[in-house]
Amino acid sequence: MALKSPVINVMEAAARKASRGLIRDFGEVEHLQVSKKGPADFVSAADLRVEKILREELAKARPGWALVTEEHGGKLPVDKDDAWIVDPIDGTTNFLHGIPHFCLTIAHWRRGEIVAGIVYQPIGDELFWAEKGMGAYHNRRRLRVSARQTLGDALIATGIPWKGKEKHPRYMDTLAAVVPEVAGIRRFGAAALDLAWVAAGRFDGYWEYGLYPWDIAAGILLIREAGGAVSDMDGGDAMLSKGDILAANGSLHKPLARLISAAAKG
């Protein structure tokens, strides 16, 4: 197994520290103080506590780096060489409903590219991590995307737009096109973890519209380092700016992209 770099060690230590209270809060989810952030999109006291710990730990380890987070907003910096891209809880709605499918995710963005990232699922103590050119790993095991060759054998994950989000009609067209062509569809509600599962070969592909850099940054690197393919819906590399993503193993990426593209165009 490749040795973790200092940057990965910083990410892991911060995520594990932030997760201690998160695990406790998950066990008492009915007592959490929750405020509405938007239609069907909630932010919890736990979410804010986790971000605070991550922000403090990352700033202490790498002072001067920019920080791009969900709860405090932010864009990829133009005046910094290095930035952390952080989502304190991806899958907040799952968390608030007592569903153990959520994660913390951190990526290191350097001069326009993602060079390291982690996705940490605290309930199962699953750490997915990757560094550019060094491979992707699940805890200590090297990750590889699945080897399935045809869509008919594939299990594909997705994210369905929720109330208050745009693109429902276009998304439903793509879903209608994909469903009859694949072995199954899953919608689990945590994009970063779904992408990590593509890297681990648990899913054969994934697509979604309207995401943010903190949802997908680490997952993009995980999949590429595990031998998979990732693009925006136009086949380009503008996932972080466009917010649309299509990921799969090398054999299924193009067929899945053609299917979704044709459906989206009507």
Side-chain angles (χ1 to χ4, degrees), residues 117-141:
I118 71 166
V119 173
Y120 181 59
Q121 209 291 64
I123 301 303
D125 192 28
E126 291 190 291
L127 179 70
F128 301 88
W129 60 279
E131 292 189 79
K132 186 178 180 182
M134 299 297 292
Y137 296 84
H138 171 229
N139 295 331
R140 297 182 179 182
R141 180 178 63 85

Side-chain angles (χ1 to χ4, degrees), residues 96-181:
L96 293 176
H97 285 78
I99 299 170
H101 190 82
F102 60 89
C103 64
L104 298 77
T105 178
I106 308 169
H108 174 202
W109 180 91
R110 167 171 283 177
R111 301 189 190 101
E113 62 178 341
I114 307 155
V115 295
I118 71 166
V119 173
Y120 181 59
Q121 209 291 64
I123 301 303
D125 192 28
E126 291 190 291
L127 179 70
F128 301 88
W129 60 279
E131 292 189 79
K132 186 178 180 182
M134 299 297 292
Y137 296 84
H138 171 229
N139 295 331
R140 297 182 179 182
R141 180 178 63 85
R142 182 74 180 260
L143 290 182
R144 298 288 185 191
V145 293
S146 74
R148 291 183 180 85
Q149 301 290 307
T150 63
L151 286 176
D153 296 325
L155 182 64
I156 305 296
T158 188
I160 301 173
W162 58 88
K163 183 180 178 182
K165 298 286 282 188
E166 299 178 352
K167 303 181 180 178
H168 278 86
R170 180 174 65 167
Y171 172 78
M172 295 307 294
D173 289 341
T174 64
L175 181 62
V178 174
V179 166
E181 302 296 329

